[in-house]
Amino acid sequence: MSSKISTSSFPVKVLTKSGTEGPLPSTIQLSTSHGGVSEIILDYGRAVGGIPFFETANVGSEGVATLEIIYSETRAGVDKEKGDGPFLLFSNAMDTYRVNTHSFTPSQETAYVETRFAQKSQRFQKLVLKSPNSSIIFSSIGFRHQRPAAVPKSTFKCSNELLNRIWDDGARTVDMCTVDAGETAEAWDITEEGTRINGQHWAPCRFGTRWEDKVVEFEVKIESGGASWGVHMVANGLIFCLDVATRSLAAVEGLSNTDGIFPPIPRGSWTLPQLDLNDWLKVKIIALGDSVDVEIEGQKVASVTGLKLHPILGGNNNSGSIAFGGPAHYTAAYRSLLVKDTEDNILYKNSFLVADKERTFADFSVGTNPLVCTIDGAKRDRACFSGDLFVMGRSIAYSTARLDAILGSITLLSSHQTSGGYIGSLCPIQAPVHEEIDMEPPTYAFYSLSYALALVVVTKEYWMQSGDSTTVNNIWGRFEKLITFAERFKDKRGLIVAPPPLSMDWLPLGGPHFGASGKINLAFYDALQSMSQMSASIGINDTFATRAEDLRKSIVSHLWNEEAGILRMTDTVSPSGICQDINAYSTTLDISPSHSNTTKILASADQPPFAFQNLERWDNNKIISPYSCGFAAEALFIRSEGVKAVQLIEMVWGDMSNPANPNYSGGHWEAMDENGSPVHDDTSLIHGWSTWPVFLLPKYLAGLEPLEPGWVKWKVQPVLAGLESVDVQLSTPAGIIAVSLYIQEAQRTGEIILDVPKETTCEISPPLGWQISESAGDVSNSVVQQRGTGVSLI
């Protein structure tokens, strides 16, 4: 077996066209000797990732044998023409497309072939042989790992096997959503002749996301299929595709030229004049106001007028950068890029040759990732979001202990801050740290104000886990500017009322929150509290606690519905509508007053745990969101409703952690419908923001939490949930902490056994309604400073 294949994932069974399962044969054979096409679906048992490879033992064909490969995480997606993709939003960190075509030449010798780009998470792989009178025998097929899977440094086990499976799958999700520095492959090939770009995500120049009127010039040489570029691009924009087969130039508005989350809008198609499409072509784009003209070799080829392009991520209408990418079958080389304003001033210049290699990779975010960091999902966006980091940072601390990935993410995001103070909440992982102090950062870095504020909380949690006060000191000034920025939107009631570009939340298809958003105000309160907690570490006076208290009073006065026991989503929507994460977050922060309905609402006792209920257009999305449900589960734990918290976790995460589920991924899903299925074929089934149980279970069932940065002082305060035993081993900067809890609730007896690292102190508090037995003579004032301590409970 090839050494490359020895560190890989392989299929475990075959799915026939009728959907039935079969054992995996020692060799896989496709043949079209009887006409038609020959296809097979391979099942890897759970989602895996890496570089697809194929080892052939024999290829028989009258010419070249053409094989189409389709990838999908979901079972339904693999039967779609485009798999569960394409993924066209933010990143070149994996293959944009979920359909590839490969050509195999006839041979009776063993041959090993890899694809250019990685497919980072898929369970199903369909092989379709389309060439007539052809056959291929594969001796091996799989995915070569780009790094070995991490073994969690911490462990969680309890007497509930379903919870154990949920935690294990969550820890695997954490690992698959963590990227080592240098792990991502370079997407473009930069040569002495020019920069070769295979059709992938359209990558914009990060310096141009605010450009408006401009003139762009470059040269292009088509190698196969065609060439493609975009203007006014951030994520979306105006895209041109020059196609060799049809000898035409077509333009669309959108993310790409193909259907996706946002379908493209055709803006015209033009027949090319007499041009030599085998030679270098000079392209000139003139973007003025609401019009864009394209000239090729000095001839005007296309004109688009009446543009009203609205960037998905920041910026003004009809503004944005130059971008290059294309349909999957396009390959072209580019050189001599020049961008000027209308007064002939140079905005950007790049030869696209080897001399400019490193800055080309950085400027277009198409090189390898410079920092270890986290991503939102193992497939699709593969970008760093502070909203996902809000969950995943804590999950890392209780599983893989990759605190360096949290720090890398904080470093990347916080480096993107506007002169006004708005801080980054979204960034492609291949983008560099923004160090140009005299230049505003790219607009793609700013998704929402609530996500930006979440980065403050993430940093506080990182500080508590790591004890890294240096980072707090270094980043403090940026966070002070962010707080000042947010306070500019405070109204006379004392609430933050952010304009729509800042008031997006975790469901982008739902649009912005209008009016005073509960989520933004809660996130601001949490950020103020975090600043208060961190202020002592850098030796400054705390001015944040009183501001947080004033905000708490304003939230309760103007957003709390006392009759229903609901914290409103915004002050412009139905007061009886329930936004699950906002209600739960408010309970977690101890803002919502005590109410008889709280537990019922959090536990979703009477209906599926929908993210939105009775909220006008929002509840059209019948979504069960593990992200939103995680807030609710934590709120239940905080209220000592351990049984209900566990029931909610089992209800939401149970089916996705069942290996018999046809969509089982071995990880935690982004979202599901009320039947427990993925919402869409492209729903991410390995998603960082869904990993709440990874930290909730050890934090609350074992009661394990730091009281001082770096775990120098920590506590154990378990929440009982009907379990007989809970065992946690936690890797911390202070050493390995171990907690074992044994409870017999019917007999009202229990025991906590601890391993306390040297030079650390543990404070023990019994579960609600219990007390430490007076016979625990080795415990003084519930403080433990030695290993192997046992505490009896009654």
Side-chain angles (χ1 to χ4, degrees):
M1 179 178 293
S2 166
S3 61
K4 293 180 179 180
I5 297 177
S6 63
T7 55
S8 304
S9 295
F10 300 94
V12 296
K13 57 187 174 183
V14 171
L15 302 182
T16 66
K17 196 170 183 179
S18 62
T20 59
E21 299 178 359
L24 191 71
S26 57
T27 59
I28 296 169
Q29 182 169 2
L30 298 174
S31 174
T32 57
S33 60
H34 299 292
V37 299
S38 178
E39 67 180 48
I40 190 171
I41 298 175
L42 303 177
D43 182 357
Y44 287 74
R46 62 181 186 176
V48 299
I51 304 292
F53 70 81
F54 310 89
E55 193 167 55
T56 60
N58 187 292
V59 177
S61 178
E62 296 176 353
V64 173
T66 301
L67 184 74
E68 183 177 82
I69 306 99
I70 299 173
Y71 304 96
S72 179
E73 274 185 341
T74 61
R75 176 61 187 89
V78 79
D79 290 324
K80 301 294 179 64
E81 182 181 354
K82 299 175 183 177
D84 62 358
F87 310 133
L88 296 155
L89 278 170
F90 309 121
S91 168
N92 273 282
M94 65 165 274
D95 199 332
T96 296
Y97 298 97
R98 299 289 258 186
V99 181
N100 296 155
T101 300
H102 293 275
S103 297
F104 295 87
T105 57
S107 174
Q108 295 184 358
E109 297 181 358
T110 299
Y112 178 88
V113 177
E114 286 188 354
T115 66
R116 165 66 188 271
F117 298 107
Q119 297 284 356
K120 293 299 288 189
S121 183
Q122 61 289 303
R123 175 176 168 176
F124 302 100
Q125 181 184 35
K126 180 189 284 188
L127 311 179
V128 184
L129 180 60
K130 293 190 167 183
S131 304
N133 300 314
S134 299
S135 66
I136 303 180
I137 298 176
F138 296 96
S139 56
S140 187
I141 294 175
F143 296 89
R144 178 175 61 80
H145 300 161
Q146 292 167 289
R147 66 169 174 85
V151 177
K153 293 184 178 180
S154 301
T155 60
F156 169 86
K157 296 293 178 186
C158 70
S159 53
N160 182 324
E161 284 303 319
L162 177 55
L163 293 183
N164 294 338
R165 288 203 310 271
I166 290 170
W167 192 91
D168 288 343
D169 283 353
R172 184 170 184 265
T173 303
V174 168
D175 180 43
M176 292 183 71
C177 292
T178 300
V179 184
D180 280 346
E183 180 178 330
T184 301
E186 297 168 347
W188 294 358
D189 296 324
I190 300 175
T191 74
E192 293 289 356
E193 298 297 318
T195 293
R196 180 179 295 106
I197 300 175
N198 294 279
Q200 288 290 303
H201 163 78
W202 281 260
C205 177
R206 67 188 182 96
F207 293 118
T209 59
R210 290 178 170 82
W211 291 335
E212 294 182 352
D213 291 351
K214 51 192 169 283
V215 177
V216 181
E217 298 178 12
F218 58 86
E219 296 181 13
V220 61
K221 185 176 184 180
I222 298 169
E223 297 184 5
S224 65
S228 184
W229 59 88
V231 290
H232 297 325
M233 290 287 289
V234 180
N236 61 315
L238 182 66
I239 291 172
F240 291 90
C241 291
L242 193 165
D243 192 81
V244 171
T246 60
R247 291 192 63 86
S248 65
L249 182 69
V252 298
E253 288 183 30
L255 297 165
S256 73
N257 69 322
T258 187
D259 286 340
I261 296 175
F262 303 102
I265 302 172
R267 291 308 308 259
S269 180
W270 303 267
T271 300
L272 294 175
Q274 290 298 317
L275 297 170
D276 183 359
L277 298 185
N278 296 312
D279 202 356
W280 286 95
L281 301 171
K282 292 183 178 180
V283 177
K284 184 175 183 179
I285 306 161
I286 305 166
L288 300 175
D290 67 351
S291 69
V292 174
D293 294 337
V294 178
E295 298 177 4
I296 302 178
E297 289 295 307
Q299 302 181 65
K300 185 174 180 179
V301 174
S303 182
V304 179
T305 59
L307 283 175
K308 293 182 180 179
L309 279 168
H310 179 68
I312 295 173
L313 294 173
N316 299 319
N317 285 354
N318 297 337
S319 69
S321 193
I322 178 69
F324 298 99
H329 63 289
Y330 279 19
T331 302
Y334 301 80
R335 68 186 185 191
S336 304
L337 173 62
L338 179 65
V339 184
K340 295 183 179 181
D341 64 16
T342 54
E343 296 179 355
D344 216 31
N345 298 307
I346 295 176
L347 298 174
Y348 183 80
K349 185 176 182 180
N350 191 323
S351 69
F352 269 21
L353 303 179
V354 171
D356 286 323
K357 179 177 180 177
E358 295 307 317
R359 78 181 187 96
T360 298
F361 284 146
D363 293 355
F364 289 84
S365 301
V366 292
T368 191
N369 57 296
L371 298 172
V372 55
C373 59
T374 63
I375 53 176
D376 60 329
K379 72 171 186 184
R380 211 180 58 202
D381 301 344
R382 289 188 68 79
C384 186
F385 282 83
S386 55
D388 300 78
L389 186 61
F390 178 79
V391 180
M392 196 174 158
R394 289 174 285 176
S395 299
I396 286 172
Y398 283 87
S399 60
T400 61
R402 291 296 305 271
L403 301 183
D404 58 336
I406 308 173
L407 176 59
S409 302
I410 293 170
T411 301
L412 179 62
L413 293 171
S414 65
S415 73
H416 293 74
Q417 186 170 41
T418 66
S419 57
Y422 195 13
I423 210 164
S425 58
L426 156 64
C427 194
I429 62 174
Q430 293 150 289
V433 171
H434 186 76
E435 297 177 327
E436 294 81 9
I437 58 175
D438 59 342
M439 184 179 296
E440 290 287 289
T443 61
Y444 58 59
F446 306 96
Y447 174 67
S448 78
L449 181 56
S450 62
Y451 270 29
L453 293 165
L455 191 62
V456 181
V457 184
V458 166
T459 303
K460 182 264 297 182
E461 291 287 347
Y462 163 75
W463 168 65
M464 288 296 293
Q465 296 291 340
S466 67
D468 178 6
S469 294
T470 300
T471 293
V472 175
N473 218 347
N474 292 340
I475 206 171
W476 186 260
R478 291 181 178 271
F479 285 164
E480 284 190 317
K481 286 182 65 177
L482 173 63
I483 297 299
T484 301
F485 174 79
E487 286 181 329
R488 293 175 188 166
F489 303 103
K490 186 179 292 185
D491 68 4
K492 62 183 180 181
R493 299 170 298 176
L495 295 176
I496 304 299
V497 182
L502 278 66
S503 61
M504 296 292 289
D505 200 17
W506 61 268
L507 184 66
L509 295 179
H513 291 193
F514 293 98
S517 162
K519 189 60 167 292
I520 289 176
N521 281 279
L522 292 174
F524 190 39
Y525 175 86
D526 203 359
L528 289 171
Q529 290 281 61
S530 296
M531 294 289 281
S532 172
Q533 191 172 347
M534 290 187 290
S535 60
S537 72
I538 61 170
I540 70 165
N541 292 328
D542 177 10
T543 64
F544 303 97
T546 55
R547 290 143 82 179
E549 176 59 19
D550 290 343
L551 178 59
R552 185 195 67 79
K553 292 176 181 177
S554 295
I555 292 171
V556 173
S557 295
H558 301 289
L559 294 177
W560 175 251
N561 180 341
E562 174 60 32
E563 181 179 354
I566 293 169
L567 193 82
R568 298 176 64 180
M569 181 178 179
T570 77
D571 61 352
T572 63
V573 300
S574 169
S576 61
I578 297 174
C579 181
Q580 184 186 39
D581 59 306
I582 289 175
N583 268 279
Y585 197 12
S586 179
T587 300
T588 301
L589 296 174
D590 198 25
I591 289 178
S592 294
S594 179
H595 198 282
S596 58
N597 285 346
T598 300
T599 299
K600 179 181 177 182
I601 292 172
L602 293 173
S604 297
D606 299 331
Q607 65 177 29
F610 291 124
F612 309 101
Q613 301 171 34
N614 304 318
L615 281 170
E616 290 93 24
R617 60 189 174 85
W618 291 85
D619 61 12
N620 292 331
N621 300 291
K622 297 298 183 184
I623 291 177
I624 297 174
S625 165
Y627 178 68
S628 184
C629 288
F631 281 98
E634 181 163 30
L636 288 166
F637 275 126
I638 285 175
R639 292 176 63 90
S640 292
E641 295 283 0
V643 171
K644 289 183 171 60
V646 165
Q647 288 173 345
L648 180 61
I649 289 171
E650 290 177 330
M651 176 169 35
V652 175
W653 281 267
D655 281 346
M656 69 175 86
S657 293
N658 179 4
N661 189 323
N663 289 303
Y664 175 72
S665 66
H668 290 172
W669 302 358
E670 176 186 25
M672 62 193 73
D673 61 25
E674 59 186 302
N675 298 316
S677 299
V679 176
H680 305 291
D681 293 335
D682 69 347
T683 298
S684 172
L685 303 189
I686 302 282
H687 210 76
W689 79 10
S690 300
T691 60
W692 290 85
V694 177
F695 75 88
L696 289 180
L697 296 178
K699 179 178 179 179
Y700 291 102
L701 294 181
L704 198 51
E705 184 177 4
L707 294 175
E708 292 182 4
W711 290 86
V712 174
K713 187 176 182 180
W714 46 284
K715 74 173 183 178
V716 168
Q717 187 175 8
V719 177
L720 298 187
L723 304 177
E724 294 178 356
S725 66
V726 177
D727 289 284
V728 175
Q729 283 201 347
L730 188 65
S731 176
T732 76
I736 300 295
I737 292 172
V739 177
S740 295
L741 176 68
Y742 303 99
I743 294 290
Q744 292 179 302
E745 291 194 58
Q747 286 74 38
R748 294 290 299 178
T749 62
E751 185 178 25
I752 302 174
I753 299 175
L754 306 175
D755 262 359
V756 184
K758 291 180 179 180
E759 300 181 359
T760 74
T761 301
C762 172
E763 290 188 359
I764 304 176
S765 297
L768 183 66
W770 290 60
Q771 62 185 19
I772 296 174
S773 171
E774 294 181 1
S775 63
D778 53 352
V779 178
S780 175
N781 298 319
S782 300
V783 176
V784 180
Q785 292 181 292
Q786 63 189 57
R787 294 179 177 272
T789 299
V791 178
S792 298
L793 301 173
I794 56 174

